[in-house]
């Protein structure tokens, strides 16, 4: 089993799944478990991107996004990555939206940006196994301050939005959506829009990671660390294996799995735990959707409660 411990505190947030199954994880303050900044201003290609403009790039792999595959992307000057050959204007909207008739999109910092001055620039670089698109020191029209952020696309569909240095914010939109998002299927997952929720407004060294439903933990760029305790942690695991805290003293426990709303969705009595065992194979978890769950292990002597992010 591939297992990762993620810092869980007031700066950590998660959301989803949307109607398709995408989740997001987010953190701030440069947490090394998430924040893998790639500076490509010296090695990448600077795009000839003016104000209110867009250009096309080729991807070195087929990028899966919702139920489509793309070997190209359009980079917009206003902080958008999308997959239709047309301009997307300066008026950002909250998701879902079909403004400008553009459907599939990644809004990494959708606003009225101007990357064409002498200091700012937009760069991209293909690394074979992933592609980086960096907006470097780009100002928002009418505001002081410059912003540096990037998106990393991977052939698994795993998406990283990274915010290195942010000096200005007005009402930007951050999130993803499919072309059919307005049909009622809820194939979109917004992170922040018009400053709400306020705790999600990106600051320096923050990250938002979008994980599609088919991606397992080992296919992300999350960093693996050994388990030492579960206090203040969120455990990332792959079904049907669940982690076991080292502090569980009982040989047999009853396992309860709860949804985020507190409803019990799984009960497995009398599970045997071997000495030094760090994970359990739990029947029934393979059919559960990816998401955040609470675990209760109840034995004769004690009980342990902790949270997991279950992926497949």
């Amino acid at each position: 089993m591939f297992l990762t411990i993620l810092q869980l505190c007031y700066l950590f947030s998660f959301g989803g799944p949307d109607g398709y199954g995408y989740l997001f994880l987010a953190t701030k303050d440069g947490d090394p478990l998430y924040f893998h900044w790639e500076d490509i201003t010296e090695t990448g290609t600077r795009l000839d991107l003016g104000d209110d403009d867009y250009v096309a790039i080729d991807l070195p792999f087929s990028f899966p996004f919702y139920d489509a595959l793309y070997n190209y992307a359009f980079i917009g000057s206003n902080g958008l990555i999308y997959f239709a050959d047309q301009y997307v204007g300066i008026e950002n909207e909250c998701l879902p939206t079909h403004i400008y008739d553009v459907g599939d999109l990644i809004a990494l910092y959708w606003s009225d940006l101007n990357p064409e001055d002498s200091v700012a620039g937009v760069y991209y670089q293909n690394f074979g196994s992933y592609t980086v698109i960096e907006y470097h020191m780009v100002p928002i029209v009418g505001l002081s301050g410059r912003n540096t952020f990037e998106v990393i696309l991977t052939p698994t569909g795993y998406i990283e939005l990274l915010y290195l240095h942010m000096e200005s914010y007005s009402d930007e939109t951050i999130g993803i959506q499919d072309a059919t998002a307005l049909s009622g299927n809820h194939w979109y997952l917004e992170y922040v829009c018009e400053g709400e929720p306020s705790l999600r407004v990106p600051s320096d060294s923050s990250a938002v990671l979008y994980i599609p439903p088919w991606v397992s933990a080992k296919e992300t760029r999350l960093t693996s660390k050994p388990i030492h305790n579960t206090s203040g942690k969120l455990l990332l695991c792959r079904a049907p294996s669940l982690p076991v805290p080292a502090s569980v003293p009982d040989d047999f426990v009853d396992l309860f799995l709860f949804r985020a709303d507190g409803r019990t969705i799984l009960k497995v009595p009398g599970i045997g735990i071997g000495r030094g065992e760090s994970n359990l194979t739990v029947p029934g978890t393979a059919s559960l959707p990816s998401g955040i769950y609470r675990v209760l292990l109840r034995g004769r002597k004690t009980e342990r409660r902790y949270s997991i992010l279950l992926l497949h």
Side-chain angles (χ1 to χ4, degrees), residues 39-110:
D39 182 12
I40 60 169
T41 55
E42 297 294 330
T43 59
T45 300
R46 180 168 180 161
L47 297 170
D48 184 16
L49 196 61
D51 187 24
D52 299 333
D53 196 6
Y54 73 103
V55 297
I57 65 167
D58 292 324
L59 300 175
F61 47 80
S62 293
F63 172 65
F65 189 63
Y66 287 96
D67 60 351
L69 287 172
Y70 299 101
N71 55 15
Y72 61 88
F74 292 94
I75 303 174
S77 62
N78 294 319
L80 279 171
I81 309 299
Y82 49 95
F83 306 96
D85 187 2
Q86 66 183 76
Y87 168 65
V88 177
I90 64 175
E91 297 296 332
N92 64 296
E93 289 193 349
C94 295
L95 304 181
T97 179
H98 276 177
I99 191 172
Y100 312 110
D101 294 324
V102 172
D104 291 2
L105 61 84
I106 301 169
L108 63 154
Y109 203 67
W110 185 9

Side-chain angles (χ1 to χ4, degrees), residues 200-261:
R200 293 184 185 173
V201 173
S203 57
D204 290 0
S205 301
S206 58
V208 183
L209 317 178
Y210 279 95
I211 305 174
W214 57 80
V215 168
S216 68
K218 69 179 180 180
E219 294 171 306
T220 70
R221 301 203 310 164
L222 300 177
T223 304
S224 178
K225 285 189 175 182
I227 297 177
H228 54 279
N229 65 69
T230 60
S231 175
K233 306 291 183 180
L234 177 70
L235 302 181
L236 177 63
C237 56
R238 296 175 62 205
S241 295
L242 298 186
V244 178
S247 57
V248 175
D250 297 274
D251 296 331
F252 291 90
V253 297
D254 296 331
L255 181 143
F256 300 85
L257 201 63
F258 304 91
R259 292 196 325 187
D261 61 8

Side-chain angles (χ1 to χ4, degrees), residues 188-204:
Y188 69 94
L189 189 53
E190 184 177 83
Y191 179 68
V192 67
C193 181
E194 297 182 349
E196 296 295 335
S198 59
L199 288 177
R200 293 184 185 173
V201 173
S203 57
D204 290 0

Side-chain angles (χ1 to χ4, degrees), residues 237-299:
C237 56
R238 296 175 62 205
S241 295
L242 298 186
V244 178
S247 57
V248 175
D250 297 274
D251 296 331
F252 291 90
V253 297
D254 296 331
L255 181 143
F256 300 85
L257 201 63
F258 304 91
R259 292 196 325 187
D261 61 8
R263 193 180 78 178
T264 303
I265 58 172
L266 187 65
K267 178 181 178 181
V268 183
I271 296 180
I273 301 178
R275 183 177 298 275
E277 190 169 10
S278 62
N279 65 86
L280 297 173
T281 298
V282 180
T285 56
S287 62
L288 296 176
S290 296
I292 304 293
Y293 296 91
R294 292 282 296 168
V295 178
L296 167 61
L297 297 181
R298 177 174 291 162

